[in-house]
Amino acid sequence: YAAGDPLWGYFSAIAGQDGEIDAEELQRCLTQAGIHGTYTPFSLETCRIMIALLDIDHTGKMGFNEFKELWGALSAWKQHFCTFDQDRSGTVEPHEFSQALMAMGYRINHQTLSALIKRYSKNGRIYFDDYVACAVKLRALTDVFRRRDSMQQGFVNFMYDDFLQCTISI
Amino acid sequence: YAAGDPLWGYFSAIAGQDGEIDAEELQRCLTQAGIHGTYTPFSLETCRIMIALLDIDHTGKMGFNEFKELWGALSAWKQHFCTFDQDRSGTVEPHEFSQALMAMGYRINHQTLSALIKRYSKNGRIYFDDYVACAVKLRALTDVFRRRDSMQQGFVNFMYDDFLQCTISI
Ligand SMILES: [Ca+2]
Ligand SMILES: [Ca+2]
Ligand SMILES: [Ca+2]
């Protein structure tokens, strides 16, 4: 059904019979398709996060439609990252990271930014791989929040079980 | 300072100079100390979750005190698991998993249980490794919830930034 779609070639060659890929296959798929460009290919850990967050049916695997959705998001995130990594070192500084998150449409306060930087930086810099892991997680958590905050009041209410159900897979 | 503590031997041999261990070192440490007993040793993924959740200072590493705390929790979880894995197959059934969570003091509803089982089972069974990954995460999320629910009203309120800060590292 995806004939003519250039991504389908990479995907189908690796997915095989069942038409789904796990984290290691996703890593191969993304590396071969070269989405990282001149950056270091994605770590297995980041690929695991990508699968976990898009894996609505909890099979631990990803189908072609989910893969395409991921690909679109990755392309946009890479674009943002490149804009801020002007010296092409493969890393951005914490203050560039903040700007990148703004550019992605996030409005988060200074304290949250500090928490994100602490969590996703290594030796004071943020690598592309960690940047994407952060972007994936941020998007998933923001989706959960927005879905709960249907009146857009800026806060959500969780009963204990609710809270677990919403966050356990993220 | 930990002379005479049998765990110190395993820990210090692997931690080396800086006195801290990362996920791969934790995996070696736990495997050599044999906490898994007759079960399959912990996967790197589960070791990463353990580090992330106990890593208060966000160094990606774990010191001896945190390691000891983890060890205590693991011993208790293994005890519970063994109680329910009566045929020593290394797996428990979903209904035994529910009972084990109850035995650990969790009071969660049927829907949450289903979500946990979907997330942590493989072919309808829960392996020791996934059971522990679930226990680690459940404890971290429950800690977050309880800390926010200081009046013990059974629900918590999150502003968006709050929510991110509380869940981003879990
Ligand atoms: Ca799936
Ligand atoms: Ca740079
Ligand atoms: Ca069994």
Side-chain angles (χ1 to χ4, degrees):
Chain A
Y1 59 105
D5 188 326
L7 283 181
W8 176 245
Y10 296 112
F11 185 86
S12 60
I14 285 174
Q17 287 274 32
D18 68 348
E20 299 232 306
I21 53 175
D22 63 18
E24 283 176 52
E25 291 168 331
L26 175 61
Q27 190 186 32
R28 279 211 319 274
C29 221
L30 291 173
T31 303
Q32 284 180 21
I35 188 149
H36 55 288
T38 57
Y39 297 128
T40 310
F42 292 116
S43 65
L44 187 56
E45 175 68 3
T46 299
C47 292
R48 278 209 191 91
I49 294 173
M50 295 175 191
I51 298 251
L53 300 185
L54 285 172
D55 182 23
I56 310 297
D57 59 354
H58 297 285
T59 58
K61 298 187 163 202
M62 179 181 273
F64 184 60
N65 283 335
E66 293 159 316
F67 179 71
K68 273 188 76 163
E69 194 190 319
L70 173 65
W71 185 273
L74 288 178
S75 304
W77 292 332
K78 189 182 157 193
Q79 200 61 44
H80 282 130
F81 190 87
C82 284
T83 308
F84 290 100
D85 177 23
Q86 294 188 337
D87 64 354
R88 293 291 179 275
S89 65
T91 59
V92 296
E93 319 286 308
H95 74 273
E96 295 169 328
F97 180 62
S98 311
Q99 291 171 339
L101 292 178
M102 299 292 188
M104 288 156 75
Y106 291 109
R107 295 288 168 266
I108 52 187
N109 70 24
H110 188 73
Q111 221 182 337
T112 308
L113 268 173
S114 296
L116 289 175
I117 288 165
K118 219 174 175 189
R119 170 72 181 74
Y120 290 101
S121 67
K122 280 172 186 142
N123 301 318
R125 307 178 143 260
I126 294 104
Y127 289 80
F128 181 58
D129 184 52
D130 290 319
Y131 171 83
V132 168
C134 177
V136 173
K137 205 148 172 180
L138 207 45
R139 181 160 149 181
L141 288 170
T142 302
D143 283 352
V144 163
F145 190 90
R146 286 213 185 116
R147 228 176 302 134
R148 307 284 308 192
D149 182 26
S150 51
M151 306 288 282
Q152 300 193 23
Q153 297 175 297
F155 65 88
V156 295
N157 231 303
F158 285 107
M159 309 284 284
Y160 175 59
D161 281 280
D162 265 353
F163 180 64
L164 291 181
Q165 285 173 43
C166 285
T167 55
I168 198 79
S169 302
I170 294 186
Chain B
Y1 62 105
D5 189 326
L7 284 180
W8 175 246
Y10 295 111
F11 185 86
S12 60
I14 284 175
Q17 285 276 31
D18 69 347
E20 299 235 303
I21 53 175
D22 63 18
E24 284 177 54
E25 292 169 330
L26 175 61
Q27 191 185 31
R28 280 212 318 276
C29 221
L30 291 173
T31 303
Q32 285 181 19
I35 188 148
H36 54 288
T38 57
Y39 296 127
T40 311
F42 292 116
S43 66
L44 188 55
E45 176 68 1
T46 299
C47 291
R48 278 208 191 88
I49 294 172
M50 294 175 192
I51 296 253
L53 299 187
L54 285 171
D55 183 23
I56 310 297
D57 57 355
H58 298 285
T59 56
K61 299 191 161 198
M62 181 180 272
F64 185 61
N65 283 335
E66 292 158 317
F67 178 71
K68 272 188 76 164
E69 194 189 320
L70 173 65
W71 185 275
L74 289 178
S75 303
W77 292 331
K78 189 182 155 194
Q79 200 61 44
H80 282 130
F81 191 86
C82 283
T83 308
F84 291 100
D85 178 23
Q86 293 188 338
D87 64 355
R88 292 291 178 276
S89 65
T91 58
V92 295
E93 320 286 307
H95 73 272
E96 293 168 329
F97 180 63
S98 313
Q99 292 171 338
L101 292 178
M102 298 292 188
M104 288 157 74
Y106 291 108
R107 295 289 168 268
I108 52 188
N109 69 25
H110 188 73
Q111 222 181 336
T112 308
L113 267 173
S114 296
L116 289 176
I117 288 164
K118 220 173 175 191
R119 170 71 182 76
Y120 291 100
S121 66
K122 281 173 187 140
N123 301 317
R125 305 179 145 258
I126 294 104
Y127 287 81
F128 180 57
D129 185 50
D130 290 318
Y131 171 83
V132 168
C134 176
V136 173
K137 205 149 170 176
L138 206 45
R139 181 159 148 181
L141 289 170
T142 302
D143 283 353
V144 163
F145 189 90
R146 288 214 185 117
R147 230 178 299 133
R148 309 280 310 191
D149 183 25
S150 50
M151 306 289 281
Q152 301 195 22
Q153 296 175 300
F155 65 88
V156 294
N157 232 303
F158 285 107
M159 308 285 282
Y160 175 59
D161 281 281
D162 265 354
F163 179 64
L164 292 181
Q165 286 174 42
C166 285
T167 54
I168 197 79
S169 303
I170 293 184

